[in-house]
Amino acid sequence: MPGRSRSALLVLVTALVLALAGCGAHGSSSVPQASVEVTGDAGQEPALRYDKPLTITEPGVRMVWPGTGTALAEGGPVMLNLYAQDGRDGSVLQTTFVDAPAWHTMSVASLGDHLHAALQGQRVGARLLYLEQQGEVPLVLVIDILPTRASGDAVQPASGLPTVTLGADGAPTVTVPPGIDPPSDLVVQPLVRGTGPQVETGEVVTVRFTGVLWSDGSVFDTTWDNPDGPEAVQSVMVGIGQVVDGLDQGLVEQTVGSQVMIVVPPSLGYGGTSDPRADQTLVYVVDILDAHFQVNDEAATEGAP
């Protein structure tokens, strides 16, 4: 599954994390003493309202809404959507909604002192407001904590399909049933049904996945073998040919948080190409972690009203 280029995103994320790590000696466990209203739905870029220029008399973090998912574990993975404004004029300093969420490890080394402290004790699904005076810049930062694996109700797959077993970290092992011919049509089989919104054509979808060949069960691609780096996830815009047709079709209308098995026949995979998998039926097991419409670069850099 080809991914989108993440170099520009990583530059922005790294700059913000380093800024947070280099802040002064103030802690970030207190409630920020400034009036900032945060609106907007989960999965969408937040809207902020406050008097400008903003005066931050005490830095800290405030919960916009709590998370109901898995609690963050020290040393474990954490995926974030980050949206930051300059409180002097409301101009956007950074937004991962331009591209895709940022993947980190729950550690000071990965997140910096203050962002790490702000995330302590939080659960997946939470939205936080973080305020900090950085020199002349009053930083207004909204943090969305996203899932790093599928979560929801298990679904019994149809007979004759590969079986999937999960490791302690959620990594799937796919076993193809011996002696059974692959289906000739696309098969989309939910394994875990998440409770998030449905994926729509044109959204940027962030996933973890493993792909195996039906013919021998061998893994040809996976994101699960690099859990500590940004390649632990891949983000693609669905419905525009960034992935094989079977994935483009199979991901649409699935819910965020789901794990889905997608069996792709050659005609919807690499058939008709010079790829070594041209005559192969492909089996993907995909954890859908996030989906959102990409924010226009121009809109992201304009000042807030």
Side-chain angles (χ1 to χ4, degrees):
M1 181 186 292
R4 293 170 60 80
S5 170
R6 299 172 65 84
S7 58
L9 170 65
L10 291 175
V11 168
L12 287 171
V13 169
T14 300
L16 180 57
V17 169
L18 288 176
L20 286 168
C23 291
H26 297 293
S28 61
S29 59
S30 60
V31 176
Q33 301 302 304
S35 178
V36 178
E37 179 185 1
V38 183
T39 58
D41 296 331
Q44 297 180 4
E45 191 174 76
L48 305 180
R49 184 175 298 277
Y50 50 89
D51 292 333
K52 304 175 186 67
L54 182 67
T55 299
I56 299 175
T57 57
E58 183 178 344
V61 62
R62 187 183 86 214
M63 185 180 293
V64 178
W65 61 64
T68 58
T70 305
L72 299 182
E74 188 65 19
V78 58
M79 191 165 70
L80 307 173
N81 265 326
L82 302 172
Y83 177 81
Q85 285 187 2
D86 182 335
R88 294 174 296 182
D89 58 10
S91 58
V92 177
L93 299 174
Q94 179 197 359
T95 173
T96 58
F97 291 90
V98 168
D99 199 303
W103 183 271
H104 293 285
T105 299
M106 185 61 183
S107 68
V108 172
S110 178
L111 294 165
D113 290 328
H114 283 197
L115 189 52
H116 177 262
L119 294 174
Q120 289 287 335
Q122 300 296 336
R123 292 181 173 272
V124 168
R127 171 170 281 185
L128 309 175
L129 171 67
Y130 180 91
L131 301 180
E132 175 75 59
Q133 188 72 33
Q134 294 187 4
E136 297 181 354
V137 178
L139 174 68
V140 185
L141 173 64
V142 178
I143 307 163
D144 286 355
I145 306 173
L146 304 180
T148 57
R149 59 182 290 186
S151 177
D153 294 330
V155 178
Q156 181 65 36
S159 61
L161 292 177
T163 58
V164 178
T165 56
L166 303 180
D169 62 350
T173 298
V174 184
T175 303
V176 177
I180 295 182
D181 292 333
S184 57
D185 296 323
L186 180 71
V187 174
V188 181
Q189 173 64 66
L191 302 175
V192 175
R193 199 177 304 280
T195 58
Q198 287 186 314
V199 174
E200 299 182 44
T201 297
E203 285 190 308
V204 175
V205 179
T206 298
V207 301
R208 300 183 85 175
F209 75 95
T210 290
V212 307
L213 303 179
W214 184 289
S215 59
D216 61 8
S218 62
V219 176
F220 64 84
D221 200 1
T222 182
T223 61
W224 287 90
D225 57 3
N226 186 24
D228 295 324
E231 299 308 317
V233 291
Q234 287 195 13
S235 298
V236 296
M237 187 177 290
V238 296
I240 64 169
Q242 287 192 346
V243 293
V244 297
D245 289 345
L247 286 175
D248 256 349
Q249 296 177 28
L251 289 172
V252 172
E253 296 186 358
Q254 300 303 312
T255 54
V256 173
S258 296
Q259 182 180 78
V260 185
M261 180 192 299
I262 303 175
V263 183
V264 180
S267 62
L268 296 175
Y270 294 97
T273 73
S274 59
D275 191 281
R277 296 162 288 184
D279 62 349
Q280 295 282 346
T281 295
L282 313 175
V283 182
Y284 291 93
V285 175
V286 185
D287 285 22
I288 305 172
L289 306 180
D290 181 61
H292 65 262
F293 285 105
Q294 199 171 26
V295 174
N296 182 282
D297 281 303
E298 278 185 21
T301 56
E302 291 177 357

